[in-house]
Amino acid sequence: MGQLSLARLRSFCMLSAALIALLAYYVYIPLPANISDPWKLMLLDATFRSAQQLSHLIQYVGLSHHLIALNFIIVSFGRKSAWSSPNVRITDTDFDGVEVRVFEGFPKAKEPLKSGIIYIHGGGWALASARIRYYDDLCATMAEELNAVIISIEYRLVPQVHFPEQLFDLERATKHFLKPQVLEKYSVDPARIAISGDSAGGNLAAALGQQFSQDDTLRGKIKLQALIYPVLQALDFNTPSYQQNVNSPILPRHIMVRYWIDYLRGNQDFVQAMVVNNHTSMDVEQAATLRARLNWLSLLPASITKDYKPVMQTVGNAHIVQELPQLLDARSAPLIADQEVLQNLPKTYVLTCEHDVLRDDGIMYVKRLESAGVDVTHDHFEDAFHGCMIFTSWPTNFSVGVRTRDSYIKWLKQNL
Ligand SMILES: *[C@@H]1O[C@H](CO)[C@@H](O)[C@H](O)[C@H]1NC(C)=O
Ligand SMILES: *[C@@H]1O[C@H](CO)[C@@H](O)[C@H](O)[C@H]1NC(C)=O
Ligand SMILES: *[C@@H]1O[C@H](CO)[C@@H](O)[C@H](O)[C@H]1NC(C)=O
């Protein structure tokens, strides 16, 4: 081998080593010791971060809003057309003008009527779809294992629409499904209907649940609600779980705050102030009574609060709440609803993950519902991260994904 090619080989090796080091630096994030499948999680997180950065670049060069670009990436990678197996029939249709994907489990026994579940997918009110593989697989599994009809709603997303438009879409589709002739068409038992969703979908499911329980014509038509790591409030971004998981994978705190601001059509310049709870400082009078409803020092057990200190500013940025009064609206933040609203809610399931900024939103809701006399099951996973329940198949299969999904379906099987 000549001098030249040796030198070339050497520089090639050095370049590769540098690239690998750079890649490892990008992919590697410190993770808690007992989180599920840590290396796989790092790769998933790095992939998601790259897609986020690419979509910011697309926005920077003026091609498209970054959320539209990001959702385009997510949907084009994961789109699945309606399909059917011997056990489930899947169809795309619309309910009163709102697109839905319907999953019908074929009855194995001679049970004449099925249960029905309204499913609301997550994605920060801005991302994902009922038609991507992750949600399609979840709903197909639910339809099959529960012999149920799952209505997965393709509600419109940010930035096309903002709060409360998402809720209006869901309300329209749900009311259509609840019509006697529609239930009959799908062979659904009107006494066995649940509403469910994950993450931002859990937020929307909880808000819809509260709305229906206050409506005389709809109260009692929903037997159960099942909320998977739901987003429930935007008043305190320093709960113990927000502090503990500031930089946790998939959903670091600043990203969650950005989703909130976009959902409420606010200014992204508010992020820094909101991260330190400047938007709900002591001098913001409108927030005073609501703050008591998420006083985690009294709502959470000592095993959760540990040594974490509340972040309460004396003086902050009072104009944020003036510009975004929706921050204090229980339809966006179901955790701050009145006790009288909570006490009419149906039997509830809440799933929380240890390594998730939203863990305490969920636990505080469990506590408030229990105090209001609602029958609640709280299912907590020590090694779980935000979003895990949809990651059940290769190459993004996580053991905790399968365990959370099975536990959720088991509860529905026993209670619906
Ligand atoms: C929070 O509010 C205080 C008082 O207005 C201000 O001095 C501080 O800079 C604010 N912090 C942020 C991060 O906006
Ligand atoms: C995870 O680790 C923490 C501390 O490192 C410990 O308190 C907790 O019990 C562990 N959980 C499991 C399921 O091993
Ligand atoms: C993921 O799926 C592959 C292939 O089916 C399997 O070998 C692997 O053990 C699974 N991993 C987890 C964490 O479930």
Side-chain angles (χ1 to χ4, degrees):
M1 212 181 267
Q3 284 292 325
L4 192 64
S5 48
L6 250 183
R8 268 205 192 139
L9 186 65
R10 201 175 297 129
S11 39
F12 174 75
C13 288
M14 276 166 67
L15 190 67
S16 310
L19 277 176
I20 289 170
L22 203 67
L23 190 67
Y25 177 76
Y26 187 77
V27 170
Y28 180 80
I29 43 167
L31 288 175
N34 50 13
I35 205 162
S36 176
D37 311 295
W39 281 102
K40 196 172 261 195
L41 181 54
M42 276 183 216
L43 284 172
L44 178 65
D45 182 63
T47 310
F48 191 46
R49 269 186 291 135
S50 324
Q52 281 169 323
Q53 277 153 6
L54 178 63
S55 49
H56 277 285
L57 184 70
I58 290 171
Q59 172 164 316
Y60 181 75
V61 300
L63 285 176
S64 164
H65 189 287
H66 73 100
L67 288 170
I68 294 181
L70 183 56
N71 209 26
F72 180 79
I73 298 171
I74 292 172
V75 172
S76 31
F77 266 103
R79 195 178 188 87
K80 197 162 169 182
S81 41
W83 54 289
S84 288
S85 74
N87 299 321
V88 205
R89 175 168 49 223
I90 302 177
T91 37
D92 287 331
T93 179
D94 80 274
F95 278 7
D96 193 14
V98 179
E99 292 175 29
V100 296
R101 180 165 276 197
V102 181
F103 302 76
E104 296 168 83
F106 293 127
K108 292 188 192 81
K110 48 184 184 313
E111 191 179 33
L113 291 177
K114 298 172 195 161
S115 56
I117 302 170
I118 306 287
Y119 196 85
I120 308 169
H121 72 76
W125 306 283
L127 302 171
S129 157
R131 298 180 189 142
I132 59 171
R133 177 170 72 92
Y134 299 101
Y135 285 110
D136 184 273
D137 286 353
L138 170 68
C139 293
T141 307
M142 288 163 69
E144 183 173 347
E145 293 195 9
L146 297 164
N147 182 27
V149 174
I150 317 292
I151 308 298
S152 186
I153 305 180
E154 192 75 333
Y155 57 101
R156 287 169 305 156
L157 302 170
V158 172
Q160 191 193 351
V161 293
H162 301 264
F163 171 82
E165 292 288 331
Q166 279 82 350
L167 277 168
F168 295 159
D169 283 2
L170 297 166
E171 185 188 337
R172 275 200 6 237
T174 306
K175 280 185 176 166
H176 178 87
F177 180 59
L178 292 175
K179 284 183 186 157
Q181 66 272 29
V182 178
L183 293 178
E184 198 182 315
K185 175 184 168 197
Y186 288 106
S187 307
V188 170
D189 182 351
R192 290 168 63 217
I193 294 171
I195 177 166
S196 186
D198 63 295
S199 192
N203 165 278
L204 294 163
L208 206 59
Q210 291 186 359
Q211 186 185 325
F212 279 28
S213 71
Q214 292 174 79
D215 184 329
D216 291 338
T217 62
L218 295 166
R219 185 179 309 130
K221 291 199 172 174
I222 305 289
K223 185 181 182 190
L224 309 171
Q225 59 173 347
L227 313 175
I228 312 303
Y229 33 77
V231 191
L232 295 169
Q233 58 88 24
L235 269 61
D236 185 355
F237 293 114
N238 290 277
T239 59
S241 60
Y242 265 109
Q243 295 188 42
Q244 176 183 305
N245 297 291
V246 160
N247 292 312
S248 280
I250 313 295
L251 191 65
R253 176 170 64 181
H254 71 279
I255 297 283
M256 188 61 239
V257 178
R258 286 180 183 283
Y259 284 138
W260 266 114
I261 293 175
D262 278 329
Y263 181 41
L264 305 180
R265 203 178 210 151
N267 185 335
Q268 288 292 347
D269 293 344
F270 294 161
V271 172
Q272 294 315 319
M274 287 170 69
V275 155
V276 296
N277 287 352
N278 257 10
H279 61 308
T280 50
S281 53
M282 308 286 257
D283 58 328
V284 179
E285 278 163 33
Q286 308 94 300
T289 49
L290 301 177
R291 231 187 281 110
R293 296 181 184 173
L294 49 135
N295 174 4
W296 49 262
L297 284 175
S298 66
L299 287 170
L300 299 175
S303 58
I304 293 277
T305 55
K306 298 193 178 119
D307 291 331
Y308 292 108
K309 300 277 178 294
V311 173
M312 188 85 88
Q313 309 289 355
T314 329
V315 185
N317 303 39
H319 71 280
I320 296 181
V321 163
Q322 277 156 17
E323 272 186 48
L324 288 181
Q326 311 93 298
L327 280 166
L328 309 179
D329 187 331
R331 289 176 306 157
S332 84
L335 180 61
I336 60 177
D338 295 339
Q339 169 101 355
E340 296 77 64
V341 173
L342 301 186
Q343 67 198 16
N344 288 320
L345 286 170
K347 195 172 193 177
T348 302
Y349 171 90
V350 179
L351 186 146
T352 55
C353 306
E354 179 62 21
H355 309 290
D356 181 1
V357 288
L358 301 174
R359 179 196 68 188
D360 299 341
D361 282 25
I363 303 180
M364 287 192 278
Y365 203 45
V366 167
K367 191 63 200 280
R368 285 209 69 210
L369 290 176
E370 277 171 356
S371 307
V374 177
D375 184 349
V376 194
T377 302
H378 178 207
D379 207 1
H380 181 70
F381 288 78
E382 277 293 332
D383 62 342
F385 57 92
H386 186 76
C388 61
M389 198 178 83
I390 58 171
F391 297 115
T392 52
S393 55
W394 197 86
T396 46
N397 55 333
F398 287 81
S399 104
V400 75
V402 176
R403 280 182 280 118
T404 45
R405 185 190 66 189
D406 289 353
S407 190
Y408 162 63
I409 292 179
K410 184 175 164 200
W411 185 84
L412 286 169
K413 197 174 269 179
Q414 288 167 346
N415 292 279
L416 188 57

